[in-house]
Every structure is written in C-alpha cells, then in structure tokens.
C-alpha cells in the first residue's frame, strides 16, 4: 500500500525558556486520521509543544512542517485555518452567545459554513441547549465544550486539544471522546495532551510520553501489558518533584 505523506513533521526541535531546556532534539511525525496522546505531568512541556506548532512559542532550533509547508515560528498565515486548537483555556468575548462564538469563528476563518457538519458538532457536544446563552454565564465545563466546538468548527486537518477533559464531567468526557473519534474517522489528525494516562489510553492510537525533555513513543500493546503501572509509578515520582 502506498504510504501517505506525513501531515505534520517536527524536525530536531529544541525549546528552552531563559536557558532552561524544556524539549530537546524532538523528532516526531503525525499522520492524518490518527489520535495522538501527549502525556506528562504538570510543567513538562505539553502546552509548550502545542504552542510551538501554532507559532505562539518561538523555538530555539529545528523546523515544523505542515502539509509540506514550513510553518516554523508561526510562519503559516495561509495554513492557520487548517489547524484548530484549544490551548490552555478558551477565551471568548463575554457578551457573545454560544451561537455567536461559533459563527464568528467561521467568519474569521473565511470558511463557508457547512451546516450539516456544524450541526453534527453541536449535537455531539450537546451544545444546542446552550446556544442562546451568553458566554459569561456559562459554567466552566460548558466553556470548555464551546472551546472545543470552536476549535473544530472550521474543519481543521490538524486539531490540538490541550487538556480538553479538564473541568468536564463524565458525560461531557464521553461526548468529547465521541467527537474526537468521529473527527479522526473523517481523517483529522488529533493531538490531545493530558497528565492522566487513563484518559489518553482509552482514546489515543499512539501515546507520546514527555520525560526529561524527550518524547518517547509508547505502544498500546505496552499499556495493555501492564506497563501502565510502571508509568503510574514514574508519575508519582515526578509529581513529588513538582
Ligand atoms: N512563557 C514562558 N516563560 C518561561 N517559562 C515558561 C513559559 N511557558 C512555559 N514555561 C515553563 O516551561 C515548562 C513547561 O511548561 P508547559 O508547557 O506549560 O507544561 P505543561 O503544559 O506540560 O504543564 C514549565 O517549567 C513552565 O514553567
Ligand atoms: Mg499545560
């Protein structure tokens, strides 16, 4: 079978803040239609990695190539509409309603509204009941759902979700999971970060563990073979240090 070209390539990337190396010599490839779980405790560099992809963090060296185009350090104006992201926490104009946030996003991205797709997203996230509520009156969990809806509204080829399950109740987690799985089936490449292995093990095709400024691949098989406990152990070690 012909191998599909890589959607996103991170080549030899190093990132430091004030002389502290956060990520060192990172080489990663991401393919369309796959879900990647980016795992690691607080402060390890998950958000930093996502911000590098969208150009919010300037890298020390290396390159980021998306769809064969070099997008290193935000050099990707024309690619912006193809990358959806929810990084850290969502920020909205407080007086907007849920509906307005979503239509504004599509307008800004200059995207022709695909009503069927939008309805599917709103339905999957159960946002219909909230559509006329002003953002400032939404609870944290609903804001998070709206942030996710906005990130996917323009049908991105690449979706970055930074700790998307934070603040969500179990039902919302299930809904977001379904949405992510639906998008992956449509060919979207999705990178989800979390400090919680269990959250990611259920959904990711490929797990990436950040440790000591490196990123290691962990196979689903390794997790199934109870390596899980080993990583939990590592996690508790780390947690005491932070
Ligand atoms: N703008 C910044 N300036 C200085 N240090 C930063 C900045 N952003 C992140 N860091 C540091 O980089 C490390 C990784 O942070 P981050 O990527 O936010 O971790 P995570 O998302 O995994 O919790 C932390 O030690 C954090 O303090
Ligand atoms: Mg973070």
């Amino acid at each position: 079978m012909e191998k599909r070209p890589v959607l996103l390539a991170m080549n030899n990337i190093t990132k430091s803040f004030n002389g502290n190396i956060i990520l060192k010599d990172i080489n990663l490839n991401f393919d369309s239609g796959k879900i990647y779980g980016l795992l690691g405790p607080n402060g390890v560099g998950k958000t930093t990695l996502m911000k590098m992809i969208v150009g919010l963090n300037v890298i020390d060296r290396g390159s980021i190539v998306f769809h064969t185009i070099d997008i290193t350090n935000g050099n990707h104006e024309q690619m912006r509409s193809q990358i959806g992201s929810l990084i850290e926490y969502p920020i909205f104009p407080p007086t907007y309603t849920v509906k307005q946030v979503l239509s504004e996003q599509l307008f800004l991205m200059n995207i022709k509204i695909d009503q069927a797709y939008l309805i599917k997203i709103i339905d999957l996230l159960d946002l219909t009941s909230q559509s006329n509520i002003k953002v400032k009156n939404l609870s944290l969990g609903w804001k998070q759902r709206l942030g996710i809806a906005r990130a996917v509204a323009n049908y991105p080829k690449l979706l970055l979700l930074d700790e998307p399950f934070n603040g969500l109740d179990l039902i919302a987690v299930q809904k977001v999971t379904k949405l992510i799985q639906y998008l992956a089936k449509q060919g979207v490449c999705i990178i989800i970060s979390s400090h919680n292995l269990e959250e990611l093990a259920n959904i990711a095709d490929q797990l990436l563990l950040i440790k000591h400024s490196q990123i290691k691949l962990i196979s689903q098989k390794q997790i199934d073979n109870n390596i899980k406990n080993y990583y939990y152990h590592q996690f508790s070690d780390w947690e005491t240090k932070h």
Side-chain angles (χ1 to χ4, degrees):
M1 215 167 70
E2 203 185 324
K3 201 176 174 330
R4 269 196 297 181
V6 166
L7 181 72
L8 178 76
M10 305 188 82
N11 304 317
N12 236 348
I13 289 179
T14 295
K15 170 68 191 165
S16 58
F17 287 112
N18 313 319
N20 292 329
I21 292 187
I22 308 298
L23 296 166
K24 190 168 189 301
D25 300 329
I26 303 298
N27 284 290
L28 288 172
N29 286 339
F30 298 92
D31 295 320
S32 295
K34 282 227 164 132
I35 303 172
Y36 297 87
L38 186 63
L39 185 66
N42 291 338
V44 84
K46 303 181 295 297
T47 299
T48 300
L49 185 121
M50 292 196 175
K51 284 188 173 172
M52 291 189 315
I53 297 172
V54 294
L56 288 172
N57 272 339
V58 175
I59 60 180
D60 303 357
R61 57 170 186 268
S63 67
I64 304 180
V65 179
F66 175 64
H67 244 265
T68 71
I69 293 176
D70 190 316
I71 61 163
T72 314
N73 295 336
N75 172 30
H76 70 299
E77 215 32 64
Q78 75 277 36
M79 286 309 196
R80 196 173 286 274
S81 68
Q82 298 189 21
I83 303 177
S85 64
L86 172 59
I87 300 181
E88 290 186 316
Y89 41 85
I91 297 169
F92 313 103
T95 57
Y96 276 33
T97 63
V98 165
K99 216 192 299 182
Q100 282 170 329
V101 167
L102 293 176
S103 48
E104 170 96 352
Q105 176 71 5
L106 295 164
F107 177 74
L108 285 177
M109 294 285 190
N110 204 9
I111 300 281
K112 239 179 83 194
I113 297 178
D114 177 346
Q115 283 296 347
Y117 171 73
L118 201 57
I119 287 167
K120 175 91 185 165
I121 298 304
I122 289 171
D123 183 46
L124 276 171
L125 290 172
D126 217 7
L127 273 166
T128 324
S129 61
Q130 310 289 311
S131 65
N132 292 317
I133 294 181
K134 287 208 165 92
V135 169
K136 63 177 178 188
N137 296 327
L138 286 179
S139 70
L140 192 68
W142 282 108
K143 273 191 191 143
Q144 187 76 348
R145 286 199 212 190
L146 179 58
I148 293 166
R150 182 175 63 178
V152 305
N154 52 306
Y155 225 140
K157 288 197 167 69
L158 172 65
L159 177 62
L160 310 174
L161 297 175
D162 189 17
E163 312 239 9
F165 302 114
N166 275 0
L168 297 186
D169 60 31
L170 197 60
I171 291 173
V173 168
Q174 285 168 351
K175 287 187 184 292
V176 171
T177 301
K178 261 197 171 158
L179 171 69
I180 289 168
Q181 285 163 338
Y182 165 76
L183 292 171
K185 279 215 182 81
Q186 309 287 309
V188 180
C189 170
I190 302 155
I191 307 176
I192 312 168
S193 75
S194 174
H195 56 273
N196 183 334
L197 172 63
E198 233 162 339
E199 257 175 23
L200 293 181
N202 290 332
I203 190 171
D205 298 309
Q206 177 71 71
L207 280 178
L208 308 168
L209 177 74
I210 310 187
K211 196 182 171 191
H212 303 325
S213 309
Q214 300 283 307
I215 301 186
K216 300 174 189 178
L217 300 182
I218 310 167
S219 70
Q220 192 66 51
K221 205 166 156 202
Q222 280 177 295
I223 294 167
D224 295 344
N225 290 345
N226 283 325
I227 294 268
K228 204 171 180 174
N229 294 330
Y230 169 74
Y231 285 108
Y232 270 129
H233 173 66
Q234 299 270 307
F235 267 49
S236 45
D237 267 4
W238 290 353
E239 234 117 54
T240 55
K241 283 186 203 149
H242 282 271

